[in-house]
């Protein structure tokens, strides 16, 4: 699916429709010292194997792509709900 590099949409901070810069959301690096990760590592220690079973096959063939929209006027960032796509292409002008 082709998505324009810039689109006009509602900005809740400006309270009007303004031009937004479109990028693809990417998750950040996982923190190794976060409480959840420390708890997971502690439970995995010991004689036994891993505490959760390994997934043998995947049910889904695609991941949900999330759009990140940054207002060109005030710089406020909003996220557009993820839709399932095989390929997302950000172009100059959508055809």
């Amino acid at each position: 699916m082709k998505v324009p590099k810039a689109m006009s949409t509602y900005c809740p901070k400006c309270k009007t429709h303004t031009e937004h810069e479109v990028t693809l959301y990417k998750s950040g690096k996982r923190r190794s010292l976060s409480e959840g990760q420390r708890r997971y590592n502690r439970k995995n220690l010991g004689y036994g194997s891993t505490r959760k079973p390994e997934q043998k096959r995947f049910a889904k063939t695609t991941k949900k792509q999330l759009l990140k929209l940054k207002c060109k006027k005030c710089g406020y960032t909003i996220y557009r709900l993820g839709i399932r796509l095989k390929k997302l292409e950000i172009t100059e002008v959508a055809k």
Side-chain angles (χ1 to χ4, degrees):
M1 183 176 164
K2 290 185 179 179
V3 177
K5 209 178 255 187
M7 60 166 56
S8 181
T9 189
Y10 182 77
C11 176
K13 200 170 180 187
C14 299
K15 294 182 179 166
T16 57
H17 276 72
T18 54
E19 199 73 17
H20 282 70
E21 190 181 309
V22 180
T23 52
L24 192 62
Y25 170 81
K26 285 183 181 149
S27 56
K29 194 178 174 187
R30 307 253 335 243
R31 296 181 305 160
S32 60
L33 288 174
S34 65
E35 179 57 42
Q37 190 62 44
R38 293 200 310 262
R39 188 181 295 125
Y40 181 83
N41 291 340
R42 193 166 55 247
K43 282 195 171 186
N44 268 349
L45 284 175
Y47 181 73
S49 182
T50 56
R51 67 191 180 94
K52 288 187 175 180
E54 278 186 29
Q55 198 173 3
K56 294 287 191 283
R57 63 184 78 85
F58 295 101
K60 306 279 188 288
T61 56
T62 56
K63 286 192 181 278
K64 284 190 176 182
Q65 304 288 339
L66 193 68
L67 291 179
K68 189 170 144 183
L69 306 169
K70 188 177 180 182
C71 180
K72 287 184 178 177
K73 194 175 175 186
C74 67
Y76 188 76
T77 306
I78 54 172
Y79 296 94
R80 194 53 60 85
L81 266 175
I83 47 177
R84 290 197 178 275
L85 299 167
K86 286 225 182 235
K87 188 180 177 185
L88 185 101
E89 193 180 322
I90 296 172
T91 57
E92 280 297 323
V93 180
K95 290 173 185 160

